[in-house]
Amino acid sequence: MTPRPGAPRPPAHHWAPPEAPAEMTTRLRPVRTRHPARTAAAVACAVLGLGLIGGAVTGLWLTDDSSADTAEQDTYAKVRTTWHSVPVDTLFPRTLKGDGAGPGGADRVWTRIAVAPDSGCAPALDPLLVKTLEPVGCARVLRATYTDATSSSVTTVGLVFTEAERDDMLALHNRFATEGLGERTDLMPRTLPAKGTVAAGFGEEQRASWTVDVVTEAPVVVYAVSGFADGRPVTDPQPADEAKAEGATTAPAQSGLGHDTAGIADRIERGLRIAVGRATEKTE
C-alpha cells in the first residue's frame, strides 16, 4: 500500500524508527469476491444491517435511531466496498495519539513502522483463528505495525473484512463472549514483523498481549497483538483486558502492553468508522 499521492509527510521525530521498505506498502486494491452467490445474497439482505452515522465529530456506529432505516440498507455493502478506496494514511495513520490511554491514564503516542499488502486470511491469521472466523467468511485482511514513543514495544493491528451480515456477526460476537474465545492463546492473531525496523524480531513467540473485537454494526473484525521491541520471547501472554486490570503483575501488564494493544485497536476502529461514515455521506 502507498500513501495518497501528494500527501504531506508528518514532521520527523528523533525517536521515530524508519518505516518499512516500499515493497511492504503496496497499494490497496479491490478484490473480486470468491463467493458471488453469497455476496449477492448479502447485498440483497443489507437492509438488515446497522448503519453508520457519518462524520468526524462523532465517529460512532449508528445505534437505534428511528430514522436509521435508509442508512441501514447500505452499511454492510458500503464497508466492504470502501476500504480499498480509503487512503492508507486514513486507515492506518502515521501517528496515533492515545491521550490517557496508558497505565494510570498516561498519554501514549504510537508511530506506524510497517504496512502490509492486503491479503486473504490464511497468510495473516493463525489457522485456528481462520477456522473460527469461517462462519462470517473472510474477504480481506489489512495490517499495520506501530511502535511506542520509546521504541520499546511493537503492536500489529488488523482489520478483517468479512462476507457476513449482521445476524452472523452478532452470532460470532456472542460466541466470543460466551466461550471466552478472546482469551484463548491459541487464537492470538499473528504479528507483522518488518525488516529494518524495531519490529524485525516481532514473531509468534514474542506475542505478549492481544485483543479481538467482532464488530456487530459492520462486517469487520478488529484485532491487535503487542510485544517487546527487543525480540524477547514471552511465556505468559495475557489478553489486553486482563493485562489492563488493576493489580495485574504479569510482564505484559507491568510494561503497559495491554494498554498499547487496546489503545491502538480502539483508535484504528474509530478511524474506520469515521472514514466509512464520510463515504456514506458523500453518496447520499
Side-chain angles (χ1 to χ4, degrees):
M1 297 184 291
T2 55
R4 181 179 49 190
R9 297 179 66 87
H13 299 281
H14 70 278
W15 47 260
E19 196 164 8
E23 62 267 19
M24 293 196 65
T25 57
T26 56
R27 183 177 300 278
L28 292 172
R29 61 191 186 280
V31 179
R32 292 183 182 276
T33 177
R34 298 178 181 175
H35 306 284
R38 184 173 182 178
T39 301
V43 173
C45 296
V47 292
L48 300 177
L50 290 181
L52 301 176
I53 288 182
V57 177
T58 58
L60 300 175
W61 298 116
L62 188 62
T63 54
D64 55 349
D65 192 311
S66 60
S67 63
D69 292 345
T70 301
E72 290 176 359
Q73 296 177 3
D74 299 326
T75 299
Y76 272 57
K78 182 63 67 177
V79 172
R80 292 191 190 96
T81 58
T82 298
W83 66 264
H84 54 75
S85 61
V86 176
V88 62
D89 287 349
T90 298
L91 287 175
F92 298 118
R94 290 179 178 272
T95 301
L96 293 173
K97 293 184 178 181
D99 296 341
D107 294 340
R108 295 289 231 206
V109 177
W110 301 284
T111 300
R112 192 186 76 198
I113 56 176
V115 184
D118 57 280
S119 71
C121 271
L125 306 176
D126 182 86
L128 188 56
L129 182 55
V130 173
K131 184 176 181 180
T132 303
L133 297 179
E134 279 183 356
V136 295
C138 172
R140 219 63 188 160
V141 181
L142 310 182
R143 297 172 292 160
T145 294
Y146 287 81
T147 189
D148 69 333
T150 63
S151 297
S152 60
S153 69
V154 286
T155 302
T156 293
V157 60
L159 297 169
V160 181
F161 293 88
T162 78
E163 300 169 344
E165 290 302 321
R166 180 175 179 263
D167 287 348
D168 289 332
M169 294 299 291
L170 182 60
L172 183 63
H173 178 276
N174 290 341
R175 185 185 172 201
F176 263 78
T178 59
E179 299 181 20
L181 299 185
E183 302 172 0
R184 286 177 45 171
T185 56
D186 57 352
L187 292 178
M188 271 195 294
R190 286 177 173 169
T191 65
L192 172 63
K195 293 181 180 180
T197 74
V198 294
F202 188 28
E204 294 187 10
E205 294 184 357
Q206 285 69 42
R207 294 176 295 182
S209 188
W210 76 98
T211 184
V212 179
D213 180 24
V214 180
V215 179
T216 58
E217 300 91 343
V220 180
V221 176
V222 182
Y223 70 83
V225 56
S226 298
F228 298 101
D230 60 9
R232 77 183 75 169
V234 179
T235 59
D236 58 345
Q238 189 173 34
D241 286 345
E242 294 181 9
K244 291 174 57 182
E246 184 177 355
T249 59
T250 62
Q254 294 185 338
S255 63
L257 288 177
H259 289 79
D260 285 341
T261 304
I264 291 176
D266 177 68
R267 280 149 185 81
I268 293 302
E269 183 176 328
R270 289 184 194 177
L272 176 65
R273 295 181 181 202
I274 293 171
V276 174
R278 287 173 174 170
T280 300
E281 283 186 326
K282 290 179 181 180
T283 58
E284 290 178 349

